[in-house]
């Protein structure tokens, strides 16, 4: 059986600072598996749908082995994980709570990594074309020219096979030569997307507008079917051409906000696949994102359906 959801992107090892403040003073780090699209694949599994991950890892370094065993342990289909012996596993460090107390900062060591060598040959049209949803983010096309080509091939394959395309803008400025390049690269991809996750910073960069209304209308005007604007502690809004929904954020203690967006996206698409309404899917996605920020690491606190229900019926 082909997986319900197929994702494409780089799996990374995350070293999360055990103490808050500038990294130069942190001496202890905790190791986690991360990477936006890997997290979405794991999230979908936690909610008992099936998922598969297209990525590249190294298996002769300990971090590559760690990623493979984690992803397998979570039940994500690993048949499309290519072993690349030529390049190391990408890693990053998380600086927490500084300089903005409620935020984290990512410091990447991933240039030339196995994941950045993703290429069109890694995308099997038969495998991807049999999924219900394909998900990737604005990170993958920023990794390299070959990863951009892989993204384009995956998007075209999905579109040609009526696989819904889900995309999180996730603009990471340090990965791009310039922000203009990010906009020029991402806008044509977004024009083919069915479900778009974004936030006010990315939306205003992509569309050059500032109000929520203009952002929603702008993306719908590009042909996106469902636009979801994630606004952190201010909740989220979703819009289609005929419907709007909004959900308040859950007040939670923020240990580390990284990974919230992927929990949100994974939960939203899993909920839609289960036939839930726009409004219910949005509420569940906000809860999932809120739960993930309460712990360090992107994937450990990804919730099951029951975990989400516990926050709805409490
Ligand atoms: O969304 C969280 C991701 O950004 C994090 O896990 C790291 O994938 C990552 C990236 O490339 O920024």
């Amino acid at each position: 059986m082909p997986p319900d959801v197929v994702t494409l992107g780089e799996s990374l090892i995350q070293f999360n600072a055990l103490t808050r403040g500038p990294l130069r003073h942190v001496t202890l780090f905790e190791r986690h598996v991360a990477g936006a699209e890997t997290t979405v694949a794991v999230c979908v599994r936690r909610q008992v749908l099936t998922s598969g991950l297209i990525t590249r890892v190294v298996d002769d370094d300990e971090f590559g082995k760690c990623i493979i065993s984690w992803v397998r342990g979570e039940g994500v289909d690993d048949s499309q994980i290519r072993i690349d012996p030529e390049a190391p596993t990408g890693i990053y460090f998380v600086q927490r709570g500084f300089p903005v107390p409620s935020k984290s900062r990512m410091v990447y060591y991933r240039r030339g990594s196995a994941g950045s060598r993703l290429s069109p040959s890694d995308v099997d049209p038969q495998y991807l074309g049999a999924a219900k949803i394909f998900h990737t983010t604005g990170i993958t096309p920023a990794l390299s020219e070959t990863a951009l080509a892989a993204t384009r091939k995956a998007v075209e394959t999905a579109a040609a096979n009526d696989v819904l395309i889900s995309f999180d803008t996730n603009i990471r400025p340090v990965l791009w030569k310039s922000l203009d390049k990010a906009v020029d690269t991402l806008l044509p991809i977004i024009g083919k997307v069915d479900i778009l996750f974004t936030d006010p910073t990315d939306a205003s960069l992509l569309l050059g507008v500032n109000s929520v209304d203009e952002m929603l209308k702008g993306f719908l005007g590009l042909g996106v079917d469902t636009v979801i604007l994630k606004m952190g502690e201010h909740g989220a809004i979703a819009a289609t051409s005929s419907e709007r929904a909004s959900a308040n954020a859950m007040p939670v203690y923020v240990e580390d906000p990284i990974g919230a967006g992927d929990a949100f996206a994974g939960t939203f698409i899993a909920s839609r696949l289960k036939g839930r309404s726009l409004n219910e899917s949005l509420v569940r996605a906000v809860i999932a994102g809120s739960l993930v920020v309460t712990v360090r690491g992107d994937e450990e606190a990804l919730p099951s359906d029951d975990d989400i229900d516990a926050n709805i019926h409490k």
Side-chain angles (χ1 to χ4, degrees), residues 10 12 14 34-37 39 92 106 108 110 139 143 170 172 175 258-262 298:
E10 179 169 20
L12 294 159
Q14 174 195 94
E37 300 84 359
T39 304
Y92 71 104
M106 295 182 282
Y108 298 129
R110 68 193 302 181
I139 296 167
L143 296 178
N170 265 356
R172 305 282 185 254
L175 297 179
I258 293 176
D262 308 318
D298 300 10

PDB file of all heavy atoms in Angstrom, residues 10 12 14 34-37 39 92 106 108 110 139 143 170 172 175 258-262 298, ligand 1:
ATOM      1  N   GLU A  10      15.336  17.376   3.877  1.00  0.00           N
ATOM      2  CA  GLU A  10      16.543  16.929   4.596  1.00  0.00           C
ATOM      3  C   GLU A  10      16.238  16.571   6.050  1.00  0.00           C
ATOM      4  O   GLU A  10      15.649  17.351   6.786  1.00  0.00           O
ATOM      5  CB  GLU A  10      17.600  18.039   4.571  1.00  0.00           C
ATOM      6  CG  GLU A  10      18.870  17.635   5.324  1.00  0.00           C
ATOM      7  CD  GLU A  10      20.039  18.591   5.101  1.00  0.00           C
ATOM      8  OE1 GLU A  10      19.802  19.749   4.697  1.00  0.00           O
ATOM      9  OE2 GLU A  10      21.183  18.155   5.348  1.00  0.00           O
ATOM     10  N   LEU A  12      17.765  16.091   9.701  1.00  0.00           N
ATOM     11  CA  LEU A  12      18.908  16.704  10.382  1.00  0.00           C
ATOM     12  C   LEU A  12      19.014  16.188  11.809  1.00  0.00           C
ATOM     13  O   LEU A  12      18.026  15.749  12.392  1.00  0.00           O
ATOM     14  CB  LEU A  12      18.706  18.229  10.468  1.00  0.00           C
ATOM     15  CG  LEU A  12      18.698  19.019   9.159  1.00  0.00           C
ATOM     16  CD1 LEU A  12      17.999  20.359   9.371  1.00  0.00           C
ATOM     17  CD2 LEU A  12      20.115  19.252   8.664  1.00  0.00           C
ATOM     18  N   GLN A  14      19.612  17.543  15.476  1.00  0.00           N
ATOM     19  CA  GLN A  14      19.515  18.809  16.220  1.00  0.00           C
ATOM     20  C   GLN A  14      20.218  18.660  17.574  1.00  0.00           C
ATOM     21  O   GLN A  14      19.978  17.682  18.287  1.00  0.00           O
ATOM     22  CB  GLN A  14      18.034  19.121  16.452  1.00  0.00           C
ATOM     23  CG  GLN A  14      17.760  20.315  17.328  1.00  0.00           C
ATOM     24  CD  GLN A  14      16.314  20.369  17.813  1.00  0.00           C
ATOM     25  OE1 GLN A  14      15.985  19.893  18.883  1.00  0.00           O
ATOM     26  NE2 GLN A  14      15.439  20.938  17.004  1.00  0.00           N
ATOM     27  N   ALA A  34      15.542  15.850  13.648  1.00  0.00           N
ATOM     28  CA  ALA A  34      14.679  16.946  13.205  1.00  0.00           C
ATOM     29  C   ALA A  34      14.728  17.056  11.685  1.00  0.00           C
ATOM     30  O   ALA A  34      15.133  16.115  10.986  1.00  0.00           O
ATOM     31  CB  ALA A  34      15.119  18.247  13.868  1.00  0.00           C
ATOM     32  N   GLY A  35      14.318  18.230  11.188  1.00  0.00           N
ATOM     33  CA  GLY A  35      14.173  18.440   9.747  1.00  0.00           C
ATOM     34  C   GLY A  35      12.672  18.556   9.501  1.00  0.00           C
ATOM     35  O   GLY A  35      11.898  17.653   9.852  1.00  0.00           O
ATOM     36  N   ALA A  36      12.271  19.682   8.911  1.00  0.00           N
ATOM     37  CA  ALA A  36      10.850  20.008   8.827  1.00  0.00           C
ATOM     38  C   ALA A  36      10.010  18.875   8.214  1.00  0.00           C
ATOM     39  O   ALA A  36       8.982  18.470   8.769  1.00  0.00           O
ATOM     40  CB  ALA A  36      10.675  21.288   8.015  1.00  0.00           C
ATOM     41  N   GLU A  37      10.464  18.338   7.087  1.00  0.00           N
ATOM     42  CA  GLU A  37       9.632  17.354   6.378  1.00  0.00           C
ATOM     43  C   GLU A  37       9.672  15.986   7.077  1.00  0.00           C
ATOM     44  O   GLU A  37       8.723  15.211   6.970  1.00  0.00           O
ATOM     45  CB  GLU A  37      10.096  17.234   4.922  1.00  0.00           C
ATOM     46  CG  GLU A  37      10.000  18.548   4.131  1.00  0.00           C
ATOM     47  CD  GLU A  37      11.209  19.465   4.323  1.00  0.00           C
ATOM     48  OE1 GLU A  37      12.133  19.098   5.088  1.00  0.00           O
ATOM     49  OE2 GLU A  37      11.226  20.549   3.714  1.00  0.00           O
ATOM     50  N   THR A  39       9.767  15.726  10.319  1.00  0.00           N
ATOM     51  CA  THR A  39       8.838  15.918  11.433  1.00  0.00           C
ATOM     52  C   THR A  39       7.386  15.757  10.974  1.00  0.00           C
ATOM     53  O   THR A  39       6.567  15.144  11.675  1.00  0.00           O
ATOM     54  CB  THR A  39       9.074  17.306  12.072  1.00  0.00           C
ATOM     55  OG1 THR A  39      10.445  17.382  12.458  1.00  0.00           O
ATOM     56  CG2 THR A  39       8.175  17.530  13.275  1.00  0.00           C
ATOM     57  N   TYR A  92      22.427  20.872  13.290  1.00  0.00           N
ATOM     58  CA  TYR A  92      22.285  22.271  13.728  1.00  0.00           C
ATOM     59  C   TYR A  92      22.143  22.330  15.242  1.00  0.00           C
ATOM     60  O   TYR A  92      21.800  21.338  15.887  1.00  0.00           O
ATOM     61  CB  TYR A  92      21.137  22.981  13.016  1.00  0.00           C
ATOM     62  CG  TYR A  92      19.728  22.571  13.381  1.00  0.00           C
ATOM     63  CD1 TYR A  92      18.943  23.384  14.201  1.00  0.00           C
ATOM     64  CD2 TYR A  92      19.158  21.408  12.877  1.00  0.00           C
ATOM     65  CE1 TYR A  92      17.631  23.036  14.510  1.00  0.00           C
ATOM     66  CE2 TYR A  92      17.857  21.054  13.174  1.00  0.00           C
ATOM     67  CZ  TYR A  92      17.101  21.871  13.992  1.00  0.00           C
ATOM     68  OH  TYR A  92      15.806  21.534  14.289  1.00  0.00           O
ATOM     69  N   MET A 106      18.337  28.957  15.243  1.00  0.00           N
ATOM     70  CA  MET A 106      18.999  27.753  14.719  1.00  0.00           C
ATOM     71  C   MET A 106      20.345  28.136  14.115  1.00  0.00           C
ATOM     72  O   MET A 106      20.427  29.128  13.381  1.00  0.00           O
ATOM     73  CB  MET A 106      18.133  27.111  13.631  1.00  0.00           C
ATOM     74  CG  MET A 106      16.814  26.594  14.169  1.00  0.00           C
ATOM     75  SD  MET A 106      15.809  25.800  12.914  1.00  0.00           S
ATOM     76  CE  MET A 106      15.127  27.173  12.043  1.00  0.00           C
ATOM     77  N   TYR A 108      23.087  26.462  11.748  1.00  0.00           N
ATOM     78  CA  TYR A 108      23.264  25.276  10.899  1.00  0.00           C
ATOM     79  C   TYR A 108      24.718  24.931  10.612  1.00  0.00           C
ATOM     80  O   TYR A 108      25.537  25.821  10.387  1.00  0.00           O
ATOM     81  CB  TYR A 108      22.647  25.525   9.515  1.00  0.00           C
ATOM     82  CG  TYR A 108      21.171  25.783   9.457  1.00  0.00           C
ATOM     83  CD1 TYR A 108      20.687  26.893   8.764  1.00  0.00           C
ATOM     84  CD2 TYR A 108      20.254  24.912  10.029  1.00  0.00           C
ATOM     85  CE1 TYR A 108      19.322  27.126   8.645  1.00  0.00           C
ATOM     86  CE2 TYR A 108      18.884  25.148   9.906  1.00  0.00           C
ATOM     87  CZ  TYR A 108      18.431  26.257   9.228  1.00  0.00           C
ATOM     88  OH  TYR A 108      17.096  26.488   9.097  1.00  0.00           O
ATOM     89  N   ARG A 110      25.434  22.475   7.757  1.00  0.00           N
ATOM     90  CA  ARG A 110      24.791  21.543   6.825  1.00  0.00           C
ATOM     91  C   ARG A 110      25.249  21.731   5.380  1.00  0.00           C
ATOM     92  O   ARG A 110      24.742  21.049   4.498  1.00  0.00           O
ATOM     93  CB  ARG A 110      23.267  21.720   6.917  1.00  0.00           C
ATOM     94  CG  ARG A 110      22.806  23.060   6.382  1.00  0.00           C
ATOM     95  CD  ARG A 110      21.385  23.410   6.726  1.00  0.00           C
ATOM     96  NE  ARG A 110      20.399  22.471   6.283  1.00  0.00           N
ATOM     97  CZ  ARG A 110      19.084  22.650   6.485  1.00  0.00           C
ATOM     98  NH1 ARG A 110      18.635  23.721   7.151  1.00  0.00           N
ATOM     99  NH2 ARG A 110      18.229  21.767   6.058  1.00  0.00           N
ATOM    100  N   ILE A 139      12.301  25.071   2.639  1.00  0.00           N
ATOM    101  CA  ILE A 139      13.695  24.765   2.998  1.00  0.00           C
ATOM    102  C   ILE A 139      14.352  23.939   1.879  1.00  0.00           C
ATOM    103  O   ILE A 139      15.475  24.221   1.468  1.00  0.00           O
ATOM    104  CB  ILE A 139      13.755  23.987   4.333  1.00  0.00           C
ATOM    105  CG1 ILE A 139      13.225  24.850   5.479  1.00  0.00           C
ATOM    106  CG2 ILE A 139      15.186  23.531   4.624  1.00  0.00           C
ATOM    107  CD1 ILE A 139      12.956  24.095   6.775  1.00  0.00           C
ATOM    108  N   LEU A 143      18.243  24.351  -0.530  1.00  0.00           N
ATOM    109  CA  LEU A 143      19.439  23.600  -0.143  1.00  0.00           C
ATOM    110  C   LEU A 143      20.507  23.556  -1.237  1.00  0.00           C
ATOM    111  O   LEU A 143      21.696  23.596  -0.952  1.00  0.00           O
ATOM    112  CB  LEU A 143      19.061  22.163   0.243  1.00  0.00           C
ATOM    113  CG  LEU A 143      18.146  22.031   1.475  1.00  0.00           C
ATOM    114  CD1 LEU A 143      17.801  20.572   1.720  1.00  0.00           C
ATOM    115  CD2 LEU A 143      18.832  22.645   2.696  1.00  0.00           C
ATOM    116  N   ASN A 170       8.187  28.313   5.074  1.00  0.00           N
ATOM    117  CA  ASN A 170       9.443  28.103   5.841  1.00  0.00           C
ATOM    118  C   ASN A 170      10.651  28.806   5.235  1.00  0.00           C
ATOM    119  O   ASN A 170      11.674  28.150   4.969  1.00  0.00           O
ATOM    120  CB  ASN A 170       9.749  26.591   5.876  1.00  0.00           C
ATOM    121  CG  ASN A 170       9.223  25.913   7.124  1.00  0.00           C
ATOM    122  OD1 ASN A 170       8.698  26.563   8.016  1.00  0.00           O
ATOM    123  ND2 ASN A 170       9.366  24.597   7.193  1.00  0.00           N
ATOM    124  N   ARG A 172      13.980  30.337   5.252  1.00  0.00           N
ATOM    125  CA  ARG A 172      15.126  30.419   6.168  1.00  0.00           C
ATOM    126  C   ARG A 172      16.167  31.307   5.490  1.00  0.00           C
ATOM    127  O   ARG A 172      16.954  30.837   4.647  1.00  0.00           O
ATOM    128  CB  ARG A 172      15.728  29.028   6.417  1.00  0.00           C
ATOM    129  CG  ARG A 172      14.736  27.993   6.928  1.00  0.00           C
ATOM    130  CD  ARG A 172      14.467  28.189   8.418  1.00  0.00           C
ATOM    131  NE  ARG A 172      13.626  27.145   8.958  1.00  0.00           N
ATOM    132  CZ  ARG A 172      12.342  27.291   9.277  1.00  0.00           C
ATOM    133  NH1 ARG A 172      11.727  28.445   9.080  1.00  0.00           N
ATOM    134  NH2 ARG A 172      11.667  26.299   9.811  1.00  0.00           N
ATOM    135  N   LEU A 175      19.720  30.357   4.323  1.00  0.00           N
ATOM    136  CA  LEU A 175      19.918  29.326   3.303  1.00  0.00           C
ATOM    137  C   LEU A 175      19.843  29.885   1.874  1.00  0.00           C
ATOM    138  O   LEU A 175      20.129  29.173   0.918  1.00  0.00           O
ATOM    139  CB  LEU A 175      18.883  28.205   3.455  1.00  0.00           C
ATOM    140  CG  LEU A 175      18.926  27.399   4.761  1.00  0.00           C
ATOM    141  CD1 LEU A 175      17.822  26.344   4.765  1.00  0.00           C
ATOM    142  CD2 LEU A 175      20.288  26.748   4.962  1.00  0.00           C
ATOM    143  N   ILE A 258      10.765  25.758  18.170  1.00  0.00           N
ATOM    144  CA  ILE A 258      11.099  25.121  16.879  1.00  0.00           C
ATOM    145  C   ILE A 258      10.351  23.795  16.735  1.00  0.00           C
ATOM    146  O   ILE A 258      10.289  23.000  17.667  1.00  0.00           O
ATOM    147  CB  ILE A 258      12.623  24.913  16.764  1.00  0.00           C
ATOM    148  CG1 ILE A 258      13.275  26.290  16.685  1.00  0.00           C
ATOM    149  CG2 ILE A 258      12.982  24.090  15.530  1.00  0.00           C
ATOM    150  CD1 ILE A 258      14.760  26.256  16.665  1.00  0.00           C
ATOM    151  N   GLY A 259       9.790  23.609  15.551  1.00  0.00           N
ATOM    152  CA  GLY A 259       9.058  22.364  15.279  1.00  0.00           C
ATOM    153  C   GLY A 259       7.550  22.544  15.360  1.00  0.00           C
ATOM    154  O   GLY A 259       6.802  21.693  14.878  1.00  0.00           O
ATOM    155  N   ALA A 260       7.105  23.667  15.948  1.00  0.00           N
ATOM    156  CA  ALA A 260       5.654  23.869  16.091  1.00  0.00           C
ATOM    157  C   ALA A 260       4.955  23.869  14.733  1.00  0.00           C
ATOM    158  O   ALA A 260       3.889  23.278  14.557  1.00  0.00           O
ATOM    159  CB  ALA A 260       5.383  25.186  16.820  1.00  0.00           C
ATOM    160  N   GLY A 261       5.586  24.531  13.758  1.00  0.00           N
ATOM    161  CA  GLY A 261       4.954  24.651  12.435  1.00  0.00           C
ATOM    162  C   GLY A 261       4.790  23.298  11.755  1.00  0.00           C
ATOM    163  O   GLY A 261       3.817  23.072  11.025  1.00  0.00           O
ATOM    164  N   ASP A 262       5.723  22.398  11.991  1.00  0.00           N
ATOM    165  CA  ASP A 262       5.643  21.077  11.344  1.00  0.00           C
ATOM    166  C   ASP A 262       4.574  20.212  12.021  1.00  0.00           C
ATOM    167  O   ASP A 262       3.862  19.468  11.348  1.00  0.00           O
ATOM    168  CB  ASP A 262       7.008  20.380  11.392  1.00  0.00           C
ATOM    169  CG  ASP A 262       8.091  21.290  10.849  1.00  0.00           C
ATOM    170  OD1 ASP A 262       7.842  21.949   9.830  1.00  0.00           O
ATOM    171  OD2 ASP A 262       9.164  21.368  11.468  1.00  0.00           O
ATOM    172  N   ASP A 298      11.846  18.549  18.217  1.00  0.00           N
ATOM    173  CA  ASP A 298      10.688  18.808  17.343  1.00  0.00           C
ATOM    174  C   ASP A 298       9.702  17.654  17.326  1.00  0.00           C
ATOM    175  O   ASP A 298       8.537  17.834  16.986  1.00  0.00           O
ATOM    176  CB  ASP A 298      11.157  19.009  15.893  1.00  0.00           C
ATOM    177  CG  ASP A 298      12.114  20.177  15.734  1.00  0.00           C
ATOM    178  OD1 ASP A 298      12.569  20.714  16.760  1.00  0.00           O
ATOM    179  OD2 ASP A 298      12.404  20.538  14.586  1.00  0.00           O
TER     180      ASP A 298
HETATM  181  O1  LIG B   1      10.591  23.634  11.207  1.00  0.00           O
HETATM  182  C1  LIG B   1      11.630  23.197  12.077  1.00  0.00           C
HETATM  183  C2  LIG B   1      12.800  22.983  11.218  1.00  0.00           C
HETATM  184  O2  LIG B   1      13.170  24.225  10.691  1.00  0.00           O
HETATM  185  C3  LIG B   1      13.995  22.425  11.926  1.00  0.00           C
HETATM  186  O3  LIG B   1      13.810  21.089  12.329  1.00  0.00           O
HETATM  187  C4  LIG B   1      15.238  22.512  11.112  1.00  0.00           C
HETATM  188  O4  LIG B   1      14.474  21.541   9.090  1.00  0.00           O
HETATM  189  C5  LIG B   1      15.041  22.415   9.658  1.00  0.00           C
HETATM  190  C6  LIG B   1      15.577  23.507   8.875  1.00  0.00           C
HETATM  191  O5  LIG B   1      16.065  23.197   7.792  1.00  0.00           O
HETATM  192  O6  LIG B   1      15.487  24.655   9.287  1.00  0.00           O
END
